[in-house]
Structure formats: C-alpha cells, structure tokens
Amino acid sequence: MKKLILDLDTGIDDSMALAYAVESSDFELIGVTGTYGNVYTEVGAQNALNVLQVLGHSDVPVYCGAKHSLHTERYLRHEISAKIHGENGVGDVDLPMASRPIEEKKAVDFLIWAITKYRQDLVIVATGPLTNLALALKQAPLLKEIIGPVVIMGGALTVPGNVSPYAEANISKDPHAAKFLFESGIDLTMVGLDVTERSQLTKQDTQTWRQVQTMSGRVFADMVDYYIAQHPHSGATASYLHDPSAVICAAHPEWFTMLPMHMTVITEGEGTGRTIGDPAKLRTPEPRVKVCVGVDSEKVERHFVETLTALFRKAI
Ligand code: BDR
Ligand code: CA
C-alpha cells in the first residue's frame, strides 16, 4: 500500500479530503502538513487534528508549515475564505479539541524526511497553496530526482478562475510556489476547477450522513451544509467537490481524463495565478505535468459519498 501525505489548509473541503484519505484502502496516511489559506496555519493544523480525532484516527501526526507565501512577509486571510469556510474554517461547527498536540517537527522537515525515506512509494496530495512543497524542494533540490507522484487541487485551464477571471484560489495565494513546482520536472497532476466544479455534493448526500446517527456523520453533514449554503450558483443546494477530487484522482486516475502538458504560472499583472501552457517549452518533449480536463463525475460523487458513509458508521 502506498504511503500518503496530505498538505492541507483545513478548510471544509480539506476536511472531506482528509476523511476520504483515512478510509481509502489505497493509501496509508502517514501525516498531514498544514499550510495557510482558508485559515491561518495553526488554526488549520488544529482543525486537521480535531477532525482526525472525530474520525477515530488520532494516530496520524499533524505538522505546522508555512505561514505565508514565498514572496510576501505575511498572509492576510481573504475575507472570502472566512465566508466560504466559516470563521473557524470548519463551517463554524464546534469540533471537540483533540487530545493529541501538533508535532514539534516542522512540516518542511517532515516532508524532506518522508520523501527521502519512501521515494516513489509516497504520494503527496496538496490542497492548499503550494508553499510547503516548494520550500522542501528548494531546501533539498536533490529530492526532485526521487520524489513520487504529487497531486494538487489547484488551477484552471479550460474554465475561468474562482478568485479572478484567470486564477484559482490555491494557486493565486502563492503563484511563485506553484510556478516553481510546475516547472520543476516532478511527476505532478493538476486537479483544477476544470474537473472539481463538475463533481458536486448535495443536501441529499449530507442527509445520508446525518442518518448514520453518529457524531462524525452529524459533524460532517453540518460542515458541508454550511459549505453548500455558500454556493449560491446552485441555489445553495450543492457544493463543488474541490479537495476530495484530488485524493480520489490519486487513488482512481482511471476516472479522470488527463492532458500531458508543460505548465507554468503567471506571477505578475492582471493574470497573476493563471495556470497556462509554458511557451518556453513548446518544443520540449515528455511533459511531466498532467492536467485533468475530464472526469466521470457520477462515479466520483457516488464513490465519495459511500466511502464517507462507511467511515461514519465506524467512527464515533
Ligand atoms: C480551493 O480553495 C479553497 O478554498 C478550497 O479548500 C480548495 O482547496 C478551491 O479553489
Ligand atoms: Ca483547500
């Protein structure tokens, strides 16, 4: 079984990605590295620990990572994140405080250790700004030669962005980190808005979880109902399946259509945060970035709801 690290800005859909990962039979989750984005880094890391405890997986360690992007001194939380994910990042649902503390080791050190130890047997899924991973590869450049698959939720190629006409939120929060990773030559799969907005969760799905009648089922139903209410385009009856899609893609790439491309990111001007084909590499063979441009949404949605329902039946 492959080892898995999740790099999260926990976040409602990050919490869903985490739940899917602990229940997946394809991966052994060996750690969560926390980053900023939907919430400040420490808040997100604590959310991840609290979620893990509710799900009966307090054995998974959580590490704190970058507090801001590569090229800024501090991170100012976007008002939009507080609106979409709630003040506390998990839909203002009160999660019991985890008894396990956040690890003392830093996220970047853990990433460097794990990539060195597990190499191709390790999959990393990142569903926030890509600062932690960029810092790890900048600090230890030889890791680029041994690192296994990296799957990210971020970017938009064939559809508009969600924070500007060009940019998706995770990439826009640290476009330099994303550019560095896209151009680094590592095996990277981009699960962007092109596919994550095609798969959705409905009130019927959260009702299924509520009916399990466990605390975990209720907490997730409350969180996702909050999230659904922030998706007015759907009449507030359905939410996108952003972050879970990245973990599902890592486990079931056969449900996604991928385009191999040389990708880069615009880091200046109006188009900042745009993920786009790299004009400097038009004649370079063998691109290592794969961009998801199609998805079997029905399969993804059904599989996701069933997997979490099974988990909530076992958890408290
Ligand atoms: C991404 O932005 C965050 O708000 C979500 O958690 C997701 O990772 C979607 O653009
Ligand atoms: Ca996220």
Side-chain angles (χ1 to χ4, degrees):
M1 196 190 290
K2 291 242 175 191
K3 311 280 181 198
L4 174 69
I5 293 176
L6 293 182
D7 190 49
L8 310 175
D9 58 331
T10 318
I12 297 175
D13 57 334
D14 303 82
S15 300
M16 290 195 271
L18 184 52
Y20 176 80
V22 296
E23 182 62 11
S24 163
S25 50
D26 295 285
F27 299 117
E28 180 199 345
L29 182 65
I30 61 164
V32 172
T33 50
T35 189
Y36 63 91
N38 293 324
V39 279
Y40 293 104
T41 305
E42 292 80 1
V43 176
Q46 190 61 51
N47 284 346
L49 271 178
N50 297 349
V51 166
L52 282 164
Q53 179 160 303
V54 165
L55 297 175
H57 283 271
S58 309
D59 51 311
V60 178
V62 176
Y63 304 84
C64 253
K67 294 181 201 291
H68 56 77
S69 65
L70 292 182
H71 287 219
T72 55
E73 285 304 306
R74 65 200 178 113
Y75 170 69
L76 291 174
R77 191 180 179 209
H78 294 256
E79 270 174 37
I80 187 93
S81 308
K83 187 170 176 307
I84 295 175
H85 295 267
E87 263 314 313
N88 71 355
V90 285
D92 294 338
V93 172
D94 276 328
L95 292 170
M97 192 70 176
S99 35
R100 179 176 184 144
I102 294 170
E103 301 302 303
E104 278 185 14
K105 191 179 210 155
K106 294 293 157 214
V108 169
D109 295 332
F110 173 67
L111 283 167
I112 293 174
W113 172 84
I115 295 166
T116 308
K117 181 167 168 73
Y118 297 114
R119 296 176 170 231
Q120 296 293 314
D121 291 330
L122 173 68
V123 177
I124 300 174
V125 177
T127 67
L130 295 168
T131 321
N132 282 339
L133 259 176
L135 285 171
L137 295 194
K138 278 175 184 281
Q139 199 173 309
L142 287 179
L143 293 183
K144 280 189 249 171
E145 311 304 325
I146 58 168
I147 190 170
V150 172
V151 181
I152 65 154
M153 188 284 131
L157 183 70
T158 60
V159 295
N162 58 1
V163 291
S164 83
Y166 311 102
E168 179 280 329
N170 288 338
I171 304 293
S172 81
K173 285 170 188 161
D174 196 342
H176 295 92
K179 177 178 163 70
F180 170 76
L181 286 170
F182 276 142
E183 294 179 3
S184 67
I186 64 172
D187 172 358
L188 189 147
T189 302
M190 174 177 133
V191 183
L193 302 179
D194 312 85
V195 289
T196 67
E197 289 188 348
R198 289 198 213 176
S199 300
Q200 306 203 341
L201 273 184
T202 65
K203 287 255 185 184
Q204 227 177 324
D205 299 325
T206 57
Q207 195 50 23
T208 304
W209 294 342
R210 211 177 285 286
Q211 279 163 357
V212 175
Q213 294 193 337
T214 55
M215 180 165 106
S216 54
R218 183 180 52 74
V219 158
F220 268 77
D222 287 349
M223 277 200 283
V224 178
D225 279 347
Y226 181 100
Y227 193 54
I228 287 174
Q230 311 309 317
H231 285 69
H233 71 278
S234 69
T237 57
S239 78
Y240 297 137
L241 207 55
H242 293 305
D243 294 348
S245 293
V247 196
I248 295 171
C249 178
H252 291 284
E254 71 279 7
W255 295 344
F256 293 78
T257 309
M258 299 180 196
L259 208 59
M261 279 183 72
H262 291 290
M263 290 289 285
T264 187
V265 177
I266 309 284
T267 54
E268 275 168 26
E270 203 193 341
T272 296
R274 182 174 186 178
T275 47
I276 191 167
D278 189 347
K281 293 195 185 141
L282 283 179
R283 289 166 65 89
T284 311
E286 292 182 30
R288 293 208 76 204
V289 177
K290 285 163 271 175
V291 180
C292 290
V293 290
V295 58
D296 187 337
S297 312
E298 266 178 43
K299 253 187 202 152
V300 165
E301 290 162 358
R302 194 171 343 112
H303 170 67
F304 178 70
V305 174
E306 284 173 6
T307 305
L308 264 63
T309 308
L311 170 65
F312 299 148
R313 287 210 175 100
K314 287 184 273 182
I316 48 171

